[in-house]
Amino acid sequence: MPVRPTAPLILAATLAVTAGLTSCGGGSGSDPDTVKVVYNRSTDNKIRFKDNHLAEVKKQFEKANPGKKVKLVPIQAQDNDYATKVQQMMRSPKTAPDLVYEDTFRINSDIKAGYLRPLDDYLAKWKTWDQFVDTAKAAAKAEDGKTYGVPDGTDTRGLWFNKKIFAKAGLPADWSPKNWDDILEAARTIKQKVPGVTPLNTYTGKAPGETSVMQSFEMLLYGTGKAGGNPLYDPGARKWVTGGKGFQDALSFLRTVYSEKLGPDISDALDPNVGTTVYSEWLPEGKLAIALDGSWLGQNWLKTGGKPWPEWSKTLGQAPMPTQNGQAPGQVSMSGGWTWAITAKSKNPDLAWKFIQQLQTKDNAVTWDIVDAQIAVRKDVAQDPEYTSSMPGITFFTRLVKYTHYRPTTPVYPQVSTAIGEAMEAVTTGDASPEKAAKSYDDQLTSITDGATVAASGQG
């Protein structure tokens, strides 16, 4: 699914149910004619876009390669548990799959751990690689300069809003906030004039994982300070940036949302499954006015989605997320994405590469970006009429690529992300002020990075 960390979450108990799927049948080397493919299954049991698509590609592959087989191994779990399970599998030749679906924000930590193998020799002979945009290629490249994954799409983020609720509150149907204060004022107006509705959802806390960190906090943080600077990591110095004014301002925004009760109940906000609740209940049932969320939401409301909602394209509007004070460039977005990567301990890497090629035929790439509401990372797919007309809002979210940012592609990012989630939760619950939470983050950051930090400057 979209590149997105932000795949909906499910209780870790589900992992135990699926664990048996990944521990039986021996390792990838048990059958030289079978490619073992591990991927994350949607936590919404009504959504099987990925399962159905992979089943079709499997059928194509086996028909095109007589005698060869594909074993699909889905893992249904929240993001962090999915990553943990896959890492456990990749440690041993007995359990390592041949091909894994890797979130770009985890790929470098898995490369550093020795779990993945470089694909450069394959890519050098693959003409289709020229169709991929440079930013997508960079997301799968390690610090050693080698490429370890083939991306299949990306995503962007912005503000979704319910035009019916806005009308009741006297707010415009073409709402386009120019700064953070405009968002908060709209939320306060809705709270006052449309009681019983949650004005604004911004993900927060540790349990939702990267859904909170990337989709909420970093959407705020990257909108602070001056254009062009990276408020989280300094690539030139190869050092992490401490929690300065911009960091604290982002935390203050969250504190305002939850202390003024402009957001959902804190217990709901800290639920690991809150992402599922947003698209399956709060938005379609008219319980939420504004959602800071991703480009992929519409897929859930199509006839083939987990929560068919025919009126969604007329009921919901989209607006870019503004920078903090409206400073240039005025808008901000974050992009992620997932890649197909061959494991280091795969006994069938050539067969795994052939399956990647099957996944990335032009027709399959177009189909995948449509059914999973992905933003195309291939030039030929982005120009395909079927893609450009596939869903209301696709043009809006594709335009946001111009303003988007990517998370730091360093091995320690997942640990940094966890520390950010803890800071978010502390201010959300009121256990710490933004300043105190930022100081705690700095202490963790120093430990995580062995002191490779640089003081923030000029943010906000």
Side-chain angles (χ1 to χ4, degrees):
M1 120 105 233
V3 132
R4 43 216 180 241
T6 54
L9 308 178
I10 200 165
L11 293 175
T14 308
L15 193 60
V17 177
T18 59
L21 288 172
T22 61
S23 60
C24 61
S28 62
S30 59
D31 183 356
D33 293 321
T34 299
V35 57
K36 185 176 177 182
V37 181
V38 170
Y39 66 98
N40 57 334
R41 169 175 281 167
S42 172
T43 56
D44 187 331
N45 288 322
K46 295 179 181 178
I47 294 179
R48 288 292 176 263
F49 300 118
K50 191 176 297 174
D51 303 79
N52 296 338
H53 181 70
L54 290 175
E56 175 58 30
V57 178
K58 164 184 161 76
K59 187 186 303 181
Q60 296 171 8
F61 181 84
E62 292 177 347
K63 182 178 180 180
N65 299 275
K68 306 300 182 183
K69 299 293 182 183
V70 177
K71 181 179 181 181
L72 298 176
V73 184
I75 296 178
Q76 188 173 23
Q78 63 110 324
D79 281 359
N80 292 338
D81 287 337
Y82 167 74
T84 299
K85 183 60 186 177
V86 171
Q87 287 164 351
Q88 289 173 343
M89 295 173 70
M90 291 191 292
R91 286 177 190 150
S92 169
K94 294 182 179 180
T95 55
D98 298 296
L99 198 60
V100 293
Y101 203 39
E102 278 268 330
D103 193 329
T104 53
F105 100 96
R106 295 188 188 277
I107 197 167
N108 268 283
S109 59
D110 282 350
I111 292 166
K112 186 176 181 180
Y115 296 148
L116 306 177
R117 71 173 63 209
L119 305 180
D120 300 79
D121 289 345
Y122 295 116
L123 296 171
K125 303 172 185 176
W126 191 42
K127 292 183 179 180
T128 303
W129 190 235
D130 293 337
Q131 291 289 345
F132 288 74
V133 298
D134 290 342
T135 51
K137 290 180 178 181
K141 184 174 288 189
E143 292 180 314
D144 64 8
K146 297 177 181 178
T147 300
Y148 288 78
V150 174
D152 63 1
T154 190
D155 48 34
T156 54
R157 287 152 180 79
L159 295 163
W160 295 78
F161 62 96
N162 187 307
K163 290 185 279 188
K164 293 181 179 179
I165 296 174
F166 267 50
K168 292 179 182 178
L171 295 168
D174 60 350
W175 182 63
S176 185
K178 304 304 180 188
N179 51 49
W180 292 2
D181 285 342
D182 285 354
I183 299 173
L184 293 172
E185 283 307 309
R188 291 173 181 130
T189 299
I190 291 162
K191 181 183 179 182
Q192 180 183 1
K193 296 187 176 181
V194 193
V197 168
T198 298
L200 170 65
N201 181 62
T202 53
Y203 295 111
T204 190
K206 295 179 291 186
E210 198 67 357
T211 300
S212 294
V213 176
M214 178 189 186
Q215 210 152 299
S216 178
F217 183 81
E218 291 176 12
M219 284 288 290
L220 293 164
L221 179 64
Y222 280 75
T224 65
K226 298 178 181 179
N230 190 315
L232 197 59
Y233 180 76
D234 184 335
R238 300 184 75 173
K239 292 184 177 182
W240 289 85
V241 180
T242 56
K245 187 177 186 303
F247 193 98
Q248 293 172 28
D249 287 350
L251 291 177
S252 293
F253 183 94
L254 292 172
R255 182 67 192 133
T256 299
V257 169
Y258 288 96
S259 65
E260 293 188 19
K261 299 189 184 304
L262 302 175
D265 290 341
I266 291 177
S267 60
D268 292 330
L270 300 181
D271 184 339
N273 296 302
V274 64
T276 301
T277 305
V278 167
Y279 74 73
S280 66
E281 297 178 28
W282 293 349
L283 283 174
E285 294 173 12
K287 297 177 180 178
L288 175 63
I290 306 168
L292 177 54
D293 223 303
S295 54
W296 59 88
L297 287 192
Q299 69 162 347
N300 301 291
W301 305 318
L302 300 176
K303 291 180 180 179
T304 54
K307 182 71 175 183
W309 180 21
E311 302 84 12
W312 76 269
S313 61
K314 295 180 180 179
T315 303
L316 298 181
Q318 298 97 26
M321 178 66 181
T323 52
Q324 181 179 10
N325 300 306
Q327 74 273 26
Q331 303 176 18
V332 65
S333 181
M334 295 296 299
S335 288
W338 291 70
T339 67
W340 289 104
I342 299 176
T343 65
K345 291 182 171 63
S346 167
K347 296 292 182 64
N348 300 321
D350 291 346
L351 200 59
W353 173 250
K354 291 189 74 172
F355 190 71
I356 289 178
Q357 290 179 292
Q358 189 69 50
L359 284 164
Q360 285 296 327
T361 65
K362 167 75 181 308
D363 288 346
N364 282 339
V366 170
T367 298
W368 174 243
D369 282 352
I370 290 173
V371 300
D372 202 47
Q374 295 271 0
I375 301 299
V377 293
R378 284 174 50 165
K379 290 171 278 189
D380 52 353
V381 174
Q383 296 168 0
D384 188 278
E386 189 178 357
Y387 166 78
T388 56
S389 62
S390 61
M391 187 183 301
I394 193 71
T395 303
F396 165 80
F397 282 107
T398 301
R399 284 201 306 265
L400 294 182
V401 172
K402 177 181 178 181
Y403 304 100
T404 206
H405 301 268
Y406 293 82
R407 294 160 291 180
T409 56
T410 71
V412 300
Y413 176 80
Q415 296 168 265
V416 175
S417 173
T418 298
I420 293 173
E422 291 175 1
M424 296 174 75
E425 186 157 326
V427 298
T428 297
T429 59
D431 288 343
S433 66
E435 294 77 17
K436 184 177 179 181
K439 176 62 169 63
S440 178
Y441 168 76
D442 287 351
D443 292 341
Q444 290 192 63
L445 188 66
T446 299
S447 175
I448 291 167
T449 64
D450 292 327
T453 63
V454 61
S457 62
Q459 293 180 4

